[in-house]
């Protein structure tokens, strides 16, 4: 019971010391509050930004690569510079047979984008058209809301079927209506709807936003759009643990040899290596996270230094009091414990208020962005980060009180009384 009374008295004394100079304590507490608020808010904001940018890559295989023909920039074997050429279907067979590291490969054709070229009843929509093989789903994953994606029988039998994007569905059909089996007219030809895509990535999509694309079997689009043997784009993925960059080099060499293009012509064959793009994305956010911690911890350290300075001033002002306590039997450990307690209480109260306010601000931002974007923006921190921040806060609060505590321990009773 006596121990409890002593503990209560000690905490009351600590609290009275902190509140003795309210202006000084408030200024010090605000420095810690602002530092921890900045750290948590920056971490949560970085998480939200990364989550939103990650959606731009959602669905695209990380080990994929795409190839498209362009004008040559070098004269070669009798062909002039600036020659136009096309990828062809036999390129697919040659690549399959010569590069065993390829797991999936598909030719891609593009069309559409004519005004109101997609019609159902009295409703119309301007859409892009894309012809692919079923393997395309392994390269750009499809979020299916209704029905299914293109299959092998659709390609083999040149079926007039289509897989439509989310926005096309919303423009042509009533909400909640299953369009599977319905016929729509695309560029003057009727196709049966076999499926509807769900939400797609906002920025990274092949040939246009997947939500605004009609996907046809490759053979059907060849026939309907008179594409012949030409291919607009070749997409492929490598087998697991095979760097796509190595496959990319082999593909470029084989295609250039097959179409009599100079080996050193960097312009003739455009390639988009998704593995490199993902690595650049990861490196970008690694730098952003590092910058966030540097700025956040720097701001927090500034607040902690302010706490240490204020505690030093407090110790100097209480020299007489500390000397008297030492004279009547207070141990050095008791003096040190009191100063450290004051430092930790001040930093803890301000710090936890800063964490709470930062989480509140992040939640408001997250709700606002998520409601307009129709997905969770992710402007929030995990429990682990919050706990880690609290540990950092407590550690720094203890460190902030060490110098003042040692200064208080070094005060000798006779010198303190003489100074008084």
């Amino acid at each position: 019971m006596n121990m409890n009374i002593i503990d209560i008295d000690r905490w009351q004394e600590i609290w009275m010391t902190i509140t003795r100079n309210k202006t000084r304590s408030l200024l010090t507490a605000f420095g810690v509050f602002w530092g921890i608020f900045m750290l948590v808010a920056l971490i949560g904001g970085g998480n939200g930004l990364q989550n939103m940018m990650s959606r731009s890559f959602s669905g695209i295989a990380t080990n994929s690569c795409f190839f498209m023909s362009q004008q040559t920039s070098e004269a070669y074997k009798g062909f002039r510079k600036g020659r136009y050429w096309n990828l062809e279907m036999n390129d697919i067979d040659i690549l399959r047979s010569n590069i065993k590291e390829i797991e999936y490969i598909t030719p891609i054709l593009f069309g559409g984008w004519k005004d109101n070229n997609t019609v159902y009843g009295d409703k119309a929509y301007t859409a892009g058209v894309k012809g692919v093989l079923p393997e395309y789903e392994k390269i750009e994953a499809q979020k299916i809301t209704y029905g299914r994606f293109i299959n092998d029988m659709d390609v083999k039998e040149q079926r007039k079927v289509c897989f439509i994007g989310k926005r096309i569905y919303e423009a042509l059909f009533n909400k909640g209506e299953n369009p599977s089996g319905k016929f729509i007219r695309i560029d003057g030809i009727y196709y049966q709807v076999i499926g509807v895509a769900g939400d797609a990535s906002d920025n990274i999509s092949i040939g246009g936003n997947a939500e605004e694309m009609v996907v046809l079997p490759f053979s059907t689009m060849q026939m309907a759009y008179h594409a012949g043997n030409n291919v607009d784009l070749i997409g492929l993925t490598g087998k697991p643990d095979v760097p796509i960059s190595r496959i990319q080099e082999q593909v470029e060499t084989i295609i250039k040899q097959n179409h009599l293009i100079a080996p050193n012509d960097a312009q003739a064959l455009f390639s988009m290596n998704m593995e490199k793009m993902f690595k650049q994305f990861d490196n970008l956010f690694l730098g952003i996270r590092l910058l966030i911690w540097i700025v956040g911890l720097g701001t927090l350290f500034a607040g902690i230094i302010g706490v240490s300075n204020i505690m030093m001033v407090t110790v100097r002002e209480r020299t007489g009091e500390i000397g008297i306590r030492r004279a009547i039997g207070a141990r050095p450990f008791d003096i040190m414990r009191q100063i450290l307690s004051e430092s930790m209480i001040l930093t803890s109260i301000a710090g936890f208020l800063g964490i709470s306010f930062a989480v509140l601000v992040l939640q408001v931002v997250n709700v606002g962005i998520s409601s307009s974007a129709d997905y969770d923006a992710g402007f929030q921190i995990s429990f682990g980060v919050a706990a880690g921040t609290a540990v950092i806060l407590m550690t720094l609060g203890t460190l902030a009180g060490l110098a003042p505590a040692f200064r208080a321990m070094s005060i000798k009773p006779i010198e303190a009384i003489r100074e008084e």
Side-chain angles (χ1 to χ4, degrees):
M1 183 67 180
N2 292 335
M3 286 297 296
N4 291 336
I5 294 174
I6 292 172
D7 289 341
I8 292 172
D9 289 341
R10 182 166 61 85
W11 289 113
Q12 287 178 342
E13 180 183 355
I14 291 171
W15 181 250
M16 288 176 63
T17 302
I18 292 174
T19 57
R20 184 179 299 168
N21 191 326
K22 294 181 179 179
T23 303
R24 181 188 300 161
S25 297
L26 284 174
L27 288 174
T28 305
F30 180 77
V32 177
F33 170 88
W34 181 250
I36 202 71
F37 169 80
M38 285 290 292
L39 178 60
V40 174
L42 285 172
I43 293 173
N47 290 339
L49 181 61
Q50 183 173 5
N51 185 58
M52 293 177 68
M53 290 189 67
S54 295
R55 285 184 57 83
S56 301
F57 296 87
S58 63
I60 304 293
T62 57
N63 64 333
S64 61
C65 196
F66 300 88
F67 301 88
M68 183 177 66
S69 62
Q70 297 186 137
Q71 272 185 286
T72 60
S73 61
E74 301 285 343
Y76 187 68
K77 289 192 175 182
F79 290 98
R80 64 180 177 81
K81 173 183 177 180
R83 171 170 62 100
Y84 288 94
W85 64 285
N86 292 299
L87 292 168
E88 298 176 348
M89 279 300 298
N90 63 341
D91 291 322
I92 304 292
D93 298 328
I94 293 173
L95 293 174
R96 274 201 184 110
S97 59
N98 285 277
I99 306 177
K100 303 304 180 183
E101 292 91 347
I102 293 177
E103 185 169 21
Y104 301 106
I105 184 170
T106 178
I108 304 171
L109 290 172
F110 297 113
W113 299 118
K114 298 176 183 177
D115 290 341
N116 298 322
N117 63 329
T118 305
V119 181
Y120 177 71
D122 60 350
K123 300 176 181 178
Y125 192 81
T126 301
V129 183
K130 180 162 57 180
V132 300
L133 297 179
E135 286 87 346
Y136 183 78
E137 192 176 11
K138 305 295 183 180
I139 301 174
E140 183 182 4
Q142 306 296 313
K143 298 178 181 178
I144 300 176
T145 303
Y146 295 102
R148 62 174 177 84
F149 192 63
I150 305 296
N151 62 27
D152 291 326
M153 292 304 297
D154 296 329
V155 176
K156 183 178 180 179
E157 298 179 2
Q158 297 183 341
R159 292 175 178 173
K160 292 183 178 180
V161 296
C162 65
F163 180 83
I164 64 175
K166 176 184 176 181
R167 295 182 186 174
I168 300 173
Y169 163 74
E170 292 173 347
L172 302 184
F173 298 93
N174 297 323
K175 185 176 181 180
E177 179 183 1
N178 188 344
S180 299
K182 306 289 179 63
F183 286 85
I184 62 175
R185 190 172 74 250
I186 306 168
D187 292 330
I189 300 176
Y190 282 92
Y191 297 88
Q192 188 177 35
V193 178
I194 58 171
V196 177
D199 293 330
S201 60
D202 296 327
N203 297 324
I204 303 296
S205 49
I206 310 305
N209 193 324
E211 296 181 355
E212 299 178 334
M213 295 291 293
V214 174
V215 181
L216 305 178
F218 184 81
S219 58
T220 304
M221 188 161 182
Q222 271 185 310
M223 176 183 63
Y225 288 82
H226 310 291
N229 196 41
N230 292 336
V231 172
D232 293 325
L233 196 72
I234 292 177
L236 58 85
T237 64
K239 291 182 178 178
D241 302 324
V242 177
I244 196 66
S245 298
R246 188 171 72 193
I247 298 175
Q248 178 184 2
E249 293 174 359
Q250 298 179 58
V251 170
E252 290 176 351
T253 300
I254 291 173
I255 289 179
K256 286 179 179 179
Q257 289 175 351
N258 194 39
H259 291 273
L260 300 177
I261 296 170
N264 60 342
D265 191 338
Q267 176 183 301
L269 182 62
F270 169 80
S271 59
M272 183 169 62
N273 187 325
M274 298 306 299
E275 185 180 55
K276 286 185 178 179
M277 294 185 67
F278 275 97
K279 284 183 178 178
Q280 291 173 354
F281 177 79
D282 290 339
N283 291 337
L284 170 65
F285 273 94
L286 178 62
I288 290 176
R289 284 193 293 270
L290 181 61
L291 180 62
I292 284 172
W293 279 99
I294 290 175
V295 173
L297 287 177
T299 308
L300 182 57
F301 275 127
I304 294 298
I305 290 173
V307 172
S308 183
N309 290 336
I310 291 300
M311 293 305 300
M312 289 292 285
V313 173
T314 302
V315 169
R316 190 176 298 114
E317 290 178 348
R318 295 165 58 195
T319 300
E321 174 191 335
I322 294 172
I324 293 172
R325 292 189 62 190
R326 291 292 305 276
I328 61 176
R331 297 172 299 172
F333 176 75
D334 295 329
I335 303 298
M336 184 176 185
R337 183 174 60 177
Q338 180 179 357
I339 301 301
L340 288 178
S341 299
E342 293 173 11
S343 174
M344 291 182 65
I345 289 175
L346 188 62
T347 55
S348 298
I349 293 175
F352 286 117
L353 284 175
I355 293 174
S356 302
F357 186 63
V359 170
L360 176 62
V361 171
L362 288 171
Q363 183 62 25
V364 171
V365 173
N366 189 63
V367 170
I369 294 178
S370 299
S371 60
S372 60
D374 294 329
Y375 62 85
D376 185 10
F379 281 85
Q380 201 53 270
I381 60 170
S382 65
F383 176 79
V385 171
T389 306
V391 171
I392 292 174
L393 178 67
M394 297 297 292
T395 303
L396 293 179
T398 304
L399 294 176
L402 282 178
F406 282 115
R407 171 71 180 87
M409 286 174 58
S410 67
I411 297 175
K412 296 179 179 180
I414 188 64
E415 293 177 357
I417 294 172
R418 185 183 300 119
E419 186 174 331
E420 278 296 305

